Amino acid sequence: MNEVLLRSLTPSVLGILVRRGADFAAAEDAVQDALVEAVRVWPADPPRDPKGWLVTVAWRRFLDATRADTARRRREDLVEEEPAPGPAPAVDDTLQLYFQCAHPSLTPSSAVALTLRAVGGLTTRQIAQAYLVPEATMAQRISRAKRTVSGVRFDQPGDVATVLRVLYLVFNEGYSGDVDLAAEAIRLTRQLAAAIDHPEVAGLLALMLLHHARRAARTAPDGSLVPLAEQDRGRWDTESITEGVEILQTALARDRLGEFQAQAAIAALHADAPTAEETDWVQIVEWYDELARLTDSPIVRLNRAVAVGEADGPRAGLAALVALDDSLPRHAAVAAYLHERDGDVATAARLYAEAARKAPNLAERDHLTRQAARLNARGCR
């Protein structure tokens, strides 16, 4: 079963159902049912037209649900609207659906959660991890969002800031998670940048390109993670770096700084360093200060502690870490790294092991476990 194909078709199928009169919540449920049926049927009997197959099955699921809740006249009208057999039109509705999910009737956080689940294809668990909340809490938030938009007319799309937040989270999940969504997020952000002259849209596109440029060097042949400092910089995509830097410089020149531009500036400084040792950590700390001012995010402050540790020494980094909640994701990993640099091998090994137990994915868990084993072996000598 080609999961990537299913995910790539989902937004377009969902858009077709919405355009044909289905309210968003019912359409999303119907598409999910069609995906489940595809997983069951396709391995033995793959369709010649996967998209047309999904549209037909999803529409029938929608009709089945509608028949249980609506009057006979409306049922007959919907039956007449059933799409004709044959290939479905090749229309990309994905970006439009992102804006529709960011409807003014939803809070920004609910709009992001709904879009990630319905259009981005992320699981509730993945979304909860991104928002640092329990899975049950996120499930309730998504359910409330579906109820809110059920039956709402989508002629008032949401704002750009919410759509950017969704694209950013989709990219992050694709870049570091279990599902490859990064390239799709870049494609959609390019579309948005071509349609809207907005410095933060440009900032997000630059950020994505700069991070994605390092993609090939992030893993070893055996699939293990390679930390930034140890990556083969010759494998970085210089064309993407050049494009990202140029887009960022144009955005910064407009003097309307936003969080994505600030993050892109940090990524650009990493990309500009010929070696890890030549990284301009002092300037990176300054950009983290700007980013913390813009977002007041604990994750930003956690990353800033690493930068401070590089710029001013590990004890300065540990001092910056004291003010942060130790339950933050990757807090233990950061503390372990700084303690190792400070020479406290025993504490670092313990913290690496703790971080491995809390790791959000298998690759990160394996990397942290190896770090703990390495330091434990050193301590035994």
Side-chain angles (χ1 to χ4, degrees):
M1 172 52 53
N2 192 330
E3 182 181 356
V4 174
L5 173 62
L6 286 176
R7 290 181 182 277
S8 67
L9 292 174
T10 296
S12 184
V13 175
L14 185 57
I16 289 171
L17 265 64
V18 170
R19 288 202 309 274
R20 290 185 174 275
D23 69 75
F24 186 88
E28 199 267 339
D29 289 340
V31 172
Q32 292 299 321
D33 287 345
L35 295 176
V36 171
E37 185 70 4
V39 170
R40 186 182 71 82
V41 172
W42 286 11
D45 185 21
R48 285 180 295 180
D49 177 19
K51 181 177 176 181
W53 189 98
L54 286 171
V55 169
T56 300
V57 173
W59 186 255
R60 287 172 180 168
R61 290 290 190 275
F62 169 67
L63 290 179
D64 288 343
T66 301
R67 289 189 183 100
D69 300 323
T70 61
R72 183 176 183 84
R73 179 179 299 177
R74 179 55 181 156
R75 293 202 306 267
E76 293 172 351
D77 290 342
L78 288 170
V79 170
E80 292 176 0
E81 295 170 13
E82 183 171 353
V91 178
D92 185 355
D93 299 292
T94 309
L95 194 56
Q96 180 185 357
L97 285 170
Y98 272 64
F99 274 95
Q100 289 177 337
C101 284
H103 196 271
S105 62
L106 295 172
T107 64
S109 61
S110 294
V112 170
L114 177 63
T115 314
L116 291 173
R117 181 70 187 90
V119 187
L122 274 64
T123 66
T124 303
R125 175 184 60 81
Q126 290 169 321
I127 302 169
Q129 289 175 345
Y131 269 88
L132 312 181
V133 299
E135 184 174 347
T137 300
M138 183 53 65
Q140 292 175 353
R141 184 179 300 177
I142 293 171
S143 294
R144 285 196 300 269
K146 286 183 178 180
R147 288 196 298 271
T148 299
V149 299
S150 180
V152 169
R153 290 183 58 84
F154 285 100
D155 53 2
Q156 291 182 288
D159 66 348
V160 175
T162 301
V163 173
L164 289 179
R165 176 63 50 191
V166 176
L167 289 168
Y168 173 68
L169 291 173
V170 169
F171 176 82
N172 280 346
E173 189 59 43
Y175 190 71
S176 61
D178 302 323
V179 179
D180 187 357
L181 297 168
E184 173 69 357
I186 291 174
R187 184 183 72 84
L188 293 173
T189 306
R190 282 191 187 279
Q191 286 187 9
L192 189 58
I196 299 176
D197 182 20
H198 192 297
E200 272 294 80
V201 176
L204 179 58
L205 179 57
L207 175 63
M208 289 179 175
L209 290 170
L210 289 164
H211 277 311
H212 207 61
R214 303 199 299 260
R215 184 76 178 268
R218 291 186 71 248
T219 54
D222 63 359
S224 60
L225 288 180
V226 180
L228 175 61
E230 300 172 19
Q231 289 176 15
D232 177 0
R233 299 183 179 220
R235 299 184 65 197
W236 289 2
D237 182 349
T238 55
E239 289 186 8
S240 291
I241 291 173
T242 300
E243 182 185 5
V245 169
E246 289 176 353
I247 292 171
L248 172 63
Q249 289 174 338
T250 301
L252 290 175
R254 300 177 66 175
D255 199 22
R256 290 169 54 193
L257 184 64
E259 63 173 296
F260 295 123
Q261 294 170 71
Q263 287 190 58
I266 294 169
L269 287 166
H270 284 297
D272 187 54
T275 66
E277 293 72 24
E278 295 174 85
T279 303
D280 189 346
W281 286 105
V282 172
Q283 194 173 168
I284 287 176
V285 171
E286 293 174 356
W287 275 111
Y288 270 121
D289 288 339
E290 288 286 348
L291 191 54
R293 179 182 60 80
L294 290 166
T295 66
D296 195 30
S297 164
I299 299 299
V300 168
R301 297 187 185 281
L302 183 67
N303 291 330
R304 179 185 178 277
V306 176
V308 169
E310 298 290 353
D312 301 327
R315 294 196 178 182
L318 288 168
L321 205 59
V322 169
L324 300 174
D325 187 344
D326 61 10
S327 68
L328 282 172
R330 298 186 173 87
H331 184 286
V334 170
Y337 173 74
L338 292 171
H339 276 291
E340 180 183 358
R341 288 200 60 226
D342 195 39
D344 189 349
V345 173
T347 299
R350 175 180 58 79
L351 287 169
Y352 274 130
E354 177 186 333
R357 291 191 294 271
K358 299 177 179 178
N361 57 66
L362 181 60
E364 191 168 331
R365 185 190 71 189
D366 289 347
H367 170 72
L368 293 167
T369 299
R370 283 193 292 271
Q371 295 294 85
R374 174 179 57 82
L375 293 187
N376 283 326
R378 184 194 300 180
C380 291
R381 288 199 294 267

